[in-house]
Amino acid sequence: MRIATVIALTLATGIAAPAASAAGADRTTDGLWRMDGYGTVVAVGHGRYEEYQTTAVSCLKGDTARRTGPGTYTLDGDVLTVRPGKDRNHASVAVASSVGHRNLHRISSLPPACTHPTPKDPLTTFDVFWQSYEENYPFFAAKGIDWHAVRNEYRPQVHKDTTRTELFGIFSRMVRPLYDAHVAVQDGDRVFAEGRPGTAVPDEELDAKVKKFIETRDLAKAPYRQDFANGRITYADVAGGNRLGYLRISGFDGYLPDEDASYAAQLTELDRALNTVLTPQRSRHLHGLIIDLRINGGGSDALGIHIAERLTDTPYIAYTKRARNDPANPNRHTRPEPIPVLPAHAPHYTGPVALLTGGSTVSAGETFTQALIDRPGHTIRIGRPTQGVFSDVMERKLPNGMTAWLPNEEYLTNSGRTFDGAGIPPQVTVPVFTKEECAAGRDSGFDRAVEMLGDDRS
């Protein structure tokens, strides 16, 4: 399972509030902060950015990001930038691979739960697991789930001698009815996750199978074809004289063989691919571009916005982003933040686009799809609805070492609509890699895109 890029930053407990730094640009951001939404308290200082994951019943420690420049901190190749706000009591943090900002409010001391260890017994672990979803998950009502009833059913099954395997099974049964591909329970190599019924969350096997089918069926006679970004991106000039291009994107990460490659390195690799295929000559020549996201496991929303910026010469808003912001009220959110698409000062294409999607278009594949809904110029979606998960994924550590994964954000259209759960619908509905299609050697989505973009010439 590949899900949206997650930054999990947590803290060592029991540290004192850091003293003011002499590092000029960082001076006003040193101290303790509570983050709007996200159930997080942040400590900045002494060359570190640290987070406490908090609920009403817990405060748990985790990783530390190290200072790598003025106001910047790095963890697992991703860069966090902390900026002072309008006064010393306000600041914000942005993650390079994500979009938008998270607002910080200065506090004078840590929450009491952060000053002593959290017990690791099964009942405490259950309570932290349940509370993490209770305070952050936005979609219980939309999915018809009474989370309090779930607690009443399963908590009596937990006792001091409950094994890890038994607890993992209980947690899995609790969240299974959500059918949310951004919800998961992890215990080491063991992971439970469940996508929307009737869909498949992409993995390497499915990606390779579909890629081979497309190369054999759709691109066998392509006059030009090349793979980029560790095989995650393919470009081809479509055969047949229609002057169409085909761009397949199977993810918004994994662009280098090194699994620990930084976001900056992946962005460089993406630019290398786009600069190679979207040359001024080709962009002038093309009458249409097919972008295939039908098998796309997600990754970095920021990389998706970067591609969208190569597909316009007019600024526009991709979507607005907000997070749940009240542990007791799922209807209260952070202020929606517009995410802009700004024309790139680099080779780009602004002509007609046919976007192929399906149930295996997941996470950042969906936010990229949403970013093209209001794209200036002609864009049409062909295929089936996307998976229906958009939020960055919260990675919440549990007292016994397990991990809970869940969303807490919504991505809104300009009319205030979200596509969580049902996914983004196509404008033209056709089968997507069904058994019948593959057995007959058909690719209705590709053929319909060629037909419709060809018609645009007249």
Side-chain angles (χ1 to χ4, degrees):
M1 178 188 67
R2 184 181 299 276
I3 57 181
T5 298
V6 179
I7 299 302
L9 299 169
T10 47
L11 301 172
T13 60
I15 64 171
S21 165
D26 288 341
R27 179 176 54 81
T28 56
T29 61
D30 282 358
L32 294 170
W33 305 88
R34 182 175 294 280
M35 186 180 292
D36 280 349
Y38 303 93
T40 298
V41 169
V42 177
V44 180
H46 304 303
R48 297 179 297 175
Y49 173 101
E50 303 172 303
E51 292 188 5
Y52 290 95
Q53 297 178 350
T54 64
T55 71
V57 299
S58 62
C59 179
L60 293 172
K61 65 180 181 179
D63 300 326
T64 298
R66 301 292 178 179
R67 186 176 184 272
T68 49
T72 61
Y73 303 82
T74 300
L75 175 68
D76 295 336
D78 214 345
V79 175
L80 296 89
T81 302
V82 182
R83 293 188 175 91
K86 59 185 179 182
D87 54 49
R88 70 178 303 275
N89 293 320
H90 296 83
S92 66
V93 59
V95 181
S97 65
S98 187
V99 295
H101 301 80
R102 300 178 184 184
N103 292 325
L104 304 174
H105 304 272
R106 190 181 295 278
I107 57 176
S108 60
S109 62
L110 294 172
C114 299
T115 62
H116 56 78
T118 300
K120 300 180 181 180
D121 63 282
L123 274 171
T124 300
T125 298
F126 179 97
D127 289 341
V128 174
F129 178 83
W130 184 87
Q131 197 74 33
S132 295
Y133 284 86
E134 167 70 7
E135 295 185 9
N136 296 289
Y137 191 73
F139 309 123
F140 287 124
K143 293 176 180 287
I145 302 297
D146 183 340
W147 192 236
H148 288 255
V150 171
R151 181 183 187 275
N152 294 340
E153 177 182 356
Y154 285 99
R155 195 176 191 276
Q157 302 178 26
V158 181
H159 50 80
K160 64 182 180 64
D161 296 320
T162 300
T163 67
R164 291 182 74 92
T165 297
E166 290 170 338
L167 196 59
F168 181 87
I170 288 171
F171 290 163
S172 301
R173 291 192 295 274
M174 289 171 67
V175 299
R176 184 179 187 273
L178 296 173
Y179 296 111
D180 188 323
H182 274 175
V183 166
V185 183
Q186 181 178 11
D187 185 14
D189 293 334
R190 180 169 48 183
V191 177
F192 174 84
E194 191 85 22
R196 196 178 81 233
T199 68
V201 177
D203 56 20
E204 291 183 3
E205 181 179 358
L206 178 61
D207 183 32
K209 178 181 177 180
V210 169
K211 183 177 181 181
K212 182 177 180 180
F213 176 83
I214 290 170
E215 290 175 346
T216 302
R217 195 270 182 190
D218 300 328
L219 305 180
K221 297 181 180 180
Y224 171 83
R225 185 181 78 198
Q226 185 173 349
D227 282 347
F228 301 90
N230 198 32
R232 305 305 302 277
I233 296 175
T234 299
Y235 177 80
D237 290 325
V238 177
N242 285 331
R243 292 167 63 177
L244 304 179
Y246 172 86
L247 181 66
R248 180 175 185 264
I249 307 170
S250 66
F252 291 95
D253 64 2
Y255 288 172
L256 293 163
D258 180 4
E259 293 184 358
D260 297 324
S262 68
Y263 170 78
Q266 298 203 64
L267 180 59
T268 297
E269 184 64 16
L270 174 61
D271 274 332
R272 186 182 76 84
L274 296 176
N275 290 342
T276 301
V277 300
L278 297 182
T279 62
Q281 180 180 2
R282 177 174 279 116
S283 293
R284 288 194 301 269
H285 174 81
L286 289 180
H287 285 149
L289 178 65
I290 302 168
I291 301 179
D292 192 346
L293 304 177
R294 290 174 293 180
I295 307 298
N296 185 293
S300 164
D301 292 340
L303 290 180
I305 292 294
H306 194 75
I307 297 174
E309 291 175 340
R310 297 292 196 105
L311 301 174
T312 184
D313 55 9
T314 303
Y316 69 98
I317 299 300
Y319 40 75
T320 58
K321 180 177 178 178
R322 69 183 185 184
R324 181 174 166 181
N325 196 30
D326 187 330
N329 185 350
N331 296 315
R332 295 186 63 181
H333 303 86
T334 57
R335 183 188 300 272
E337 179 177 3
I339 306 300
V341 177
L342 305 176
H345 298 293
H348 58 283
Y349 167 80
T350 60
V353 168
L355 192 64
L356 307 184
T357 69
S360 296
T361 308
V362 181
S363 192
E366 301 184 80
T367 65
F368 175 69
T369 299
Q370 189 167 349
L372 298 191
I373 289 177
D374 292 323
R375 169 183 176 262
H378 180 56
T379 304
I380 188 161
R381 301 185 305 279
I382 301 172
R384 301 289 295 173
T386 63
Q387 175 67 214
V389 292
F390 296 79
S391 171
D392 290 343
V393 179
M394 299 181 73
E395 182 181 343
R396 307 299 281 188
K397 295 191 176 182
L398 302 178
N400 70 346
M402 292 183 184
T403 306
W405 303 66
L406 66 152
N408 70 317
E409 301 169 335
E410 294 176 334
Y411 287 56
L412 309 177
T413 66
N414 59 10
S415 63
R417 178 183 180 183
T418 73
F419 296 103
D420 287 285
I424 300 174
Q427 294 157 295
V428 177
T429 299
V430 298
V432 175
F433 302 128
T434 62
K435 291 181 180 179
E436 294 77 12
E437 284 264 299
C438 294
R442 291 195 303 266
D443 187 347
S444 295
F446 180 88
D447 291 349
R448 192 64 181 273
V450 169
E451 175 189 346
M452 297 189 74
L453 290 177
D455 289 345
D456 279 344
R457 298 176 59 187
S458 58

